[in-house]
Amino acid sequence: MLASIPAVVFGLFAGDMLDEHSRSFLFIGCSFLVSAVFFQISEYFYKKKQGQKNTYQDPSWKQSLVIGISQAVAIIPGISRSGSTLATGLMLGFDRQAALRFSFLMGAPIIFGALLLL
């Protein structure tokens, strides 16, 4: 639940502003490029931290909050929510399966909340 707080706060306060200013092809294209660079950086950190991986059972509150912030950034059009949370988990030292599970579980409340706002 802690990991969902940044996205809720960011979505409530910046959602309308993003809708007005971020629907151009140029903006979304730049967002895709930022995502691609972020994925490459996360792969570098993942390979660098391969000997010190965390498991799904022990993410700290700080790690949860950092992954939550990456989920909040993914509210920007062109940034993948699951991709950004997965990449952040890899950068923090999670193994791929643990990062994927955590990303999936933390997405459920946000997706449900977004459906309620429609």
Side-chain angles (χ1 to χ4, degrees):
M1 292 309 286
L2 178 66
S4 299
I5 293 171
V8 170
V9 171
F10 188 73
L12 290 176
F13 291 111
D16 293 334
M17 182 182 69
L18 286 173
D19 285 342
E20 296 172 11
H21 302 291
S22 61
R23 298 292 178 194
S24 72
F25 288 119
L26 180 62
F27 185 89
I28 293 173
C30 289
S31 296
F32 284 142
L33 287 174
V34 168
S35 292
V37 169
F38 184 64
F39 296 153
Q40 289 299 315
I41 291 170
S42 71
E43 193 65 27
Y44 169 78
F45 280 102
Y46 174 74
K47 289 178 181 176
K48 189 175 178 180
K49 292 184 174 187
Q50 277 192 321
Q52 46 185 328
K53 290 181 192 59
N54 296 308
T55 62
Y56 173 70
Q57 288 78 19
D58 64 355
S60 71
W61 67 270
K62 289 179 185 178
Q63 290 170 324
S64 298
L65 199 57
V66 169
I67 296 172
I69 291 169
S70 71
Q71 180 173 252
V73 170
I75 291 174
I76 297 170
I79 305 287
S80 167
R81 188 211 62 82
S82 60
S84 64
T85 56
L86 180 60
T88 303
L90 293 177
M91 287 177 66
L92 293 173
F94 287 73
D95 64 20
R96 291 184 194 277
Q97 186 176 11
L100 184 62
R101 273 193 213 135
F102 192 73
S103 175
F104 177 76
L105 290 174
M106 70 184 282
I110 294 300
I111 293 168
F112 181 70
L115 287 173
L116 290 178
L117 292 176
L118 289 178

